[in-house]
Amino acid sequence: MLRIEVGSTFEVKPLKINSYSSEQTQLLGSHLGKLAQKGDVFLLMGDLGAGKTCLTQGITQGLGSKEQALSPSFVIVRQYHGRLPLYHIDLYRLDHIAEIVNLGLDEYLYNGGVCVVEWPERGLQLLPENNLLIKISYVPEDETKRIIHLEPKGEHYSELIRQLEPVLDKDRAWN
Amino acid sequence: MVGKSSSIKILGIETSCDESAAAIVENGNRILSNIVASQIDIHAQYGGIVPEIASRQHLLTIIPVLNKAMAEAKVTWQEITGIAVTFGPGLAGSLLVGVNTAKAIALAEQLPLAGVNHLEAHIYANWLKKEQPPQFPCLCLIVSGGHSDLVLMKNHGQFKKLGRTRDDAAGEAFDKAARILGLAYPGGPAIEEAAQYGTPSLLLPRAWLSGTHDFSFSGLKTALWHYAQRGGNLATASSVANAAASFQYAVVDVLVTKTIEAAKELEVKQILLSGGVAANKLLTQRFLNSSSLPVLVPPPHLCTDNAAMVAACGYHHFQAHKTNNYELDVVPDLTLG
């Protein structure tokens, strides 16, 4: 598993959130979508069915898009149109770094939009060092519960987490 | 149409996803050639690793594929009436290779150009190799790795989207289930193969989404994941076969039931299947057994991505004088209806 080294004193601690339903996961996504800025990169880790697409559906809504985000696993990239363009990228199907290079990842990463990258483990060296890592995990005893870790890397994403915390506090849905 | 003769030969080009493909189709239904890159030994030709996905592979393969399509059809450029090319949906870089190749040939050979929607092209696979064309209005179920769309087709070029998947496409669901069960990629054929030796003994949930024509397969996938994680019986080949059969049965059940319901509601004349998942034998069998309406299914090699369907679709664009100029651009998120 990827370890995020906390290299800067400005960085905040990873945030841990419990979600008890797909609606709560989506709500968290929509908060992230509202706070997202041009060029933001969110890396999304989690097992099959953990809720990666579900969280991205929320991010899409938070960015003000009426579109329904779908799984990008087969098509590799799906694009949505909110106040900023959202590129939902899935590296799972790419076996070689060369394939990811050929995908033209940079054109999505540095195109003035927001990128959500699933299975980032497959191409970490090609992704920006500063990012928000989101890990969604199952809880063995509860089929609908998920634990979501938000780990900011770099000051920009630490600030995003600082802005997110009071929003979550206001949310009664969150414990 | 501006006729060179009564034989109208369209060159189709398809590069929207994994496959570079070119085909020549006569009068919208007769395949003169239909070449998909994987049929040519590109690896031997270029040596080394050729990335399976993305534009570089298309760049390497498109010209050999085109040459082979022209040679097999035994046609010259003078005999070609027009060029049809997929301009979306798909990966931008991949689509660009096809569209720019088509534009370059159109310019060099002074041929008309038609940009074709990949989803519309899938539907037109049902026109190929047929004396009797499908009858309107018809209901089209497009099921593939990237799509699960239910579309009403009232006439050529007249589409109304009724529903689509809200999360995973049907083909994608098969891929993910195969991964959970430790089966091969692509998951569709792997699940189908394993399911042959099993029975659908595992009760998996179906998302009916009543009152809509939408589909959802992510809950089914997650249910299978939980079954596997909770130490569900997957230790033997026969238990994997049963799980594969159960998964396949659940996907097919929802697709068939919801499509037939919609067909009755809309009083269509026929149901047209297309896309890679339409090659699944249980799906077609269940449709043929359950539907009182005729169900049309292309042969498996025309269900998966190919350029003959693009040429067949392009033929009808040219018939309707729907052509594009050299400003035709790719639309990665193109939808239908």
Side-chain angles (χ1 to χ4, degrees):
Chain A
M1 193 57 79
L2 179 80
R3 278 294 322 144
I4 295 293
E5 308 267 336
V6 179
S8 154
T9 51
F10 295 110
E11 286 178 16
V12 298
K13 280 185 188 162
L15 200 60
K16 182 187 158 190
I17 299 158
N18 293 327
S19 167
Y20 294 93
S21 67
S22 54
E23 288 76 18
Q24 285 190 346
T25 301
Q26 272 194 10
L27 185 62
L28 171 65
S30 77
H31 293 322
L32 287 170
K34 280 178 194 144
L35 294 170
Q37 292 178 25
K38 212 168 161 178
D40 277 0
V41 177
F42 301 156
L43 308 183
L44 213 42
M45 292 166 101
D47 274 317
L48 270 178
K52 298 186 291 298
T53 295
C54 179
L55 186 86
T56 309
Q57 287 175 340
I59 296 174
T60 313
Q61 286 163 16
L63 281 165
S65 166
K66 298 260 184 286
E67 299 154 298
Q68 169 119 14
L70 307 179
S71 167
S73 299
F74 183 81
V75 297
I76 301 168
V77 182
R78 290 196 193 265
Q79 191 177 332
Y80 303 98
H81 312 78
R83 80 185 149 78
L84 296 168
L86 175 72
Y87 303 104
H88 187 191
I89 303 165
D90 190 330
L91 302 182
Y92 187 82
R93 222 155 64 83
L94 306 179
D95 292 328
H96 305 284
I97 284 294
E99 291 180 339
I100 301 173
V101 173
N102 286 330
L103 174 68
L105 199 59
D106 286 359
E107 284 171 43
Y108 299 107
L109 291 172
Y110 306 105
N111 208 12
V114 176
C115 281
V116 174
V117 186
E118 296 192 15
W119 298 95
E121 306 91 308
R122 302 212 159 217
L124 275 184
Q125 60 268 60
L126 299 173
L127 293 163
E129 274 181 30
N130 286 352
N131 57 60
L132 179 66
L133 177 65
I134 306 170
K135 292 197 257 190
I136 313 180
S137 339
Y138 282 101
V139 181
E141 63 276 14
D142 186 343
E143 282 197 13
T144 50
K145 185 180 169 184
R146 304 286 187 273
I147 296 173
I148 304 172
H149 287 270
L150 302 174
E151 301 179 3
K153 184 83 197 277
E155 172 52 26
H156 171 73
Y157 296 95
S158 297
E159 179 55 31
L160 191 152
I161 293 298
R162 278 184 214 111
Q163 290 175 15
L164 179 68
E165 275 180 299
V167 181
L168 292 179
D169 285 342
K170 274 189 215 156
D171 248 327
R172 290 223 192 108
W174 301 97
N175 59 346
Chain B
M1 146 137 224
V2 282
K4 291 187 178 178
S5 71
S6 61
S7 159
I8 295 169
K9 297 187 182 75
I10 305 297
L11 164 67
I13 298 175
E14 156 69 39
T15 62
S16 67
C17 196
D18 294 6
E19 303 287 7
S20 319
I24 317 285
V25 171
E26 187 180 38
N27 297 333
N29 61 2
R30 190 167 163 253
I31 299 173
L32 302 183
S33 65
N34 185 22
I35 309 299
V36 177
S38 47
Q39 293 169 348
I40 304 180
D41 198 348
I42 300 285
H43 287 66
Q45 217 167 327
Y46 290 94
I49 296 165
V50 178
E52 296 200 340
I53 300 160
S55 46
R56 173 158 295 216
Q57 185 224 4
H58 291 297
L59 272 177
L60 292 176
T61 51
I62 191 67
I63 299 300
V65 165
L66 262 169
N67 288 339
K68 191 161 162 117
M70 294 294 285
E72 267 193 20
K74 298 190 179 67
V75 292
T76 61
W77 289 112
Q78 285 70 40
E79 292 169 78
I80 298 289
T81 321
I83 303 174
V85 62
T86 304
F87 73 105
L91 277 172
S94 301
L95 289 164
L96 273 169
V97 175
V99 166
N100 285 327
T101 305
K103 281 199 244 182
I105 300 170
L107 182 65
E109 302 293 338
Q110 289 297 297
L111 287 167
L113 179 70
V116 163
N117 182 321
H118 181 75
L119 296 169
E120 184 183 359
H122 265 304
I123 295 172
Y124 275 93
N126 284 291
W127 267 256
L128 291 164
K129 294 183 162 183
K130 293 225 175 70
E131 292 302 319
Q132 290 290 321
Q135 290 174 15
F136 300 121
C138 54
L139 182 64
C140 310
L141 176 68
I142 310 161
V143 271
S144 66
H147 306 278
S148 297
D149 286 25
L150 202 52
V151 179
L152 175 67
M153 185 177 189
K154 292 176 186 162
N155 208 326
H156 290 295
Q158 289 181 29
F159 300 95
K160 187 180 174 215
K161 187 193 284 160
L162 303 170
R164 65 168 193 165
T165 183
R166 293 185 181 178
D167 35 59
D168 292 341
E172 213 162 37
F174 276 115
D175 287 341
K176 291 174 180 176
R179 204 194 298 168
I180 294 169
L181 298 177
L183 300 170
Y185 182 90
I191 295 268
E192 188 172 5
E193 165 76 16
Q196 276 181 25
Y197 308 101
T199 49
S201 51
L202 197 65
L203 189 67
L204 293 169
R206 281 103 165 119
W208 292 110
L209 305 178
S210 300
T212 76
H213 297 300
D214 283 350
F215 302 105
S216 166
F217 298 109
S218 73
L220 176 61
K221 164 194 74 187
T222 308
L224 187 68
W225 194 91
H226 280 298
Y227 176 77
Q229 291 299 310
R230 277 199 314 263
N233 184 7
L234 293 172
T236 63
S238 74
S239 55
V240 169
N242 288 344
S246 307
F247 187 87
Q248 176 178 246
Y249 192 79
V251 172
V252 165
D253 197 17
V254 173
L255 289 174
V256 172
T257 308
K258 294 205 70 169
T259 304
I260 291 178
E261 260 174 27
K264 282 183 189 153
E265 181 189 318
L266 296 156
E267 298 177 347
V268 297
K269 291 194 174 128
Q270 294 179 331
I271 294 171
L272 273 54
L273 307 186
S274 56
V277 178
N280 182 289
K281 286 182 211 73
L282 181 72
L283 182 76
T284 49
Q285 197 182 37
R286 275 287 306 273
F287 260 113
L288 295 170
N289 292 343
S290 316
S291 173
S292 52
L293 295 169
V295 179
L296 277 58
V297 194
H301 72 285
L302 297 176
C303 284
T304 48
D305 286 356
N306 66 85
M309 66 186 197
V310 176
C313 182
Y315 170 83
H316 291 280
H317 280 232
F318 287 119
Q319 292 294 85
H321 304 285
K322 272 163 49 186
T323 57
N324 294 88
N325 60 24
Y326 299 132
E327 280 169 32
L328 175 67
D329 200 359
V330 302
V331 183
D333 53 354
L334 188 65
T335 58
L336 181 65

